[in-house]
Amino acid sequence: KIKYKDLGLLVIDEEQRFGVNQKEKIKSLKKSVDVLTLSATPIPRTLYMSLSGVREMSLIATPPPQRRPIKTHLAHIDNETIRSAISQEIDRGGQVFYVVPKIEGIQEVAVNIKNMIPKIKLIIAHGQMQEGELENSMIAFNAGEADLMLCTTIIESGLDIPRVNTILIEDSHKFGLSQLYQLRGRVGRSGIQAHAWLFYPNTSVLNEAARQRLKAIKEFSE
């Protein structure tokens, strides 16, 4: 409903998060203006248009100052590996994201983590929480009041907490490549060596597409 007096530039950030209907509304805005779209994980159509010359494309290949590649570990899910990864981060004064693909069963995961590390301070965050409750969880975690945030993909973009330098992703084969890339980007934002652990239940449940996704995210860690 907003009427623009003299719109000259449209900037679209996180382009991959917009759906078809939203894109149509954006198109109606951009008939006579310059458009700059930004994405760390471009959707295939945008990428194709850029590579084929229909759109001009610029690559920012230089990482932010002090940013280091994130060490990405691909592993069969195992309580001892989880306990070790969490403990190592807490022992060096950091915080941890533990991501699950769905809200169902999140309390059982919380109990399992507390059984492994009884003294851990844990906060839960997901999209079905009341808005105020979710905001309080985020603020408390950002303030360092908990060691670990157990969450869904709600943290996928926009969060910048320098103390969080380990992320564990359960059932990583259920996530898309761009989701895994975005989730991994939530750590390693302070110059400290960060770790991303991608867990899967066993190789028999992985189809070929899932294998390729996990292989790609492990290999391309720059």
Side-chain angles (χ1 to χ4, degrees), residues 42-219:
I43 56 174
R45 186 164 174 267
T46 301
L47 188 60
Y48 175 75
M49 288 170 72
S50 301
L51 293 172
S52 61
V54 176
R55 278 191 182 182
E56 288 183 42
M57 176 170 70
S58 298
L59 292 177
I60 301 175
T62 310
Q66 299 183 320
R67 183 75 63 88
R68 300 166 69 178
I70 298 160
K71 284 193 177 174
T72 306
H73 314 272
L74 193 54
H76 180 269
I77 195 158
D78 170 75
N79 278 353
E80 183 51 38
T81 307
I82 291 170
R83 189 197 63 75
S84 176
I86 294 171
S87 297
Q88 282 176 20
E89 185 58 57
I90 293 171
D91 287 347
R92 67 175 181 172
Q95 293 171 285
V96 178
F97 283 133
Y98 192 110
V99 183
V100 291
K102 54 186 181 180
I103 298 166
E104 184 187 350
I106 201 166
Q107 293 294 342
E108 287 86 342
V109 177
V111 169
N112 189 38
I113 293 170
K114 284 184 176 177
N115 286 338
M116 283 188 274
I117 310 169
K119 291 182 180 178
I120 197 167
K121 294 176 186 169
L122 183 149
I123 279 178
I124 292 176
H126 58 74
Q128 287 183 10
M129 293 168 71
Q130 294 295 321
E131 192 176 326
E133 188 186 359
L134 178 59
E135 186 181 6
N136 289 339
S137 289
M138 293 292 189
I139 291 169
F141 189 65
N142 198 12
E145 293 174 19
D147 304 309
L148 181 144
M149 176 175 277
L150 175 58
C151 54
T152 54
T153 54
I154 198 165
I155 63 156
E156 192 176 327
S157 60
L159 274 191
D160 187 0
I161 308 177
R163 279 191 303 271
V164 185
N165 284 299
T166 292
I167 184 167
L168 295 88
I169 304 174
E170 195 173 292
D171 284 340
S172 58
H173 62 292
K174 293 181 179 178
F175 295 90
L177 188 56
S178 66
Q179 282 183 310
L180 291 172
Y181 186 84
Q182 292 282 356
L183 286 167
R184 184 176 63 182
R186 296 308 100 207
V187 297
R189 306 178 77 83
S190 63
I192 294 168
Q193 180 61 65
H195 297 268
W197 288 86
L198 311 180
F199 292 109
Y200 55 89
N202 59 65
T203 48
S204 63
V205 303
L206 298 184
N207 59 35
E208 189 54 31
R211 286 176 202 272
Q212 292 296 334
R213 283 199 303 274
L214 296 178
K215 184 173 177 235
I217 201 77
K218 186 176 190 303
E219 287 180 1

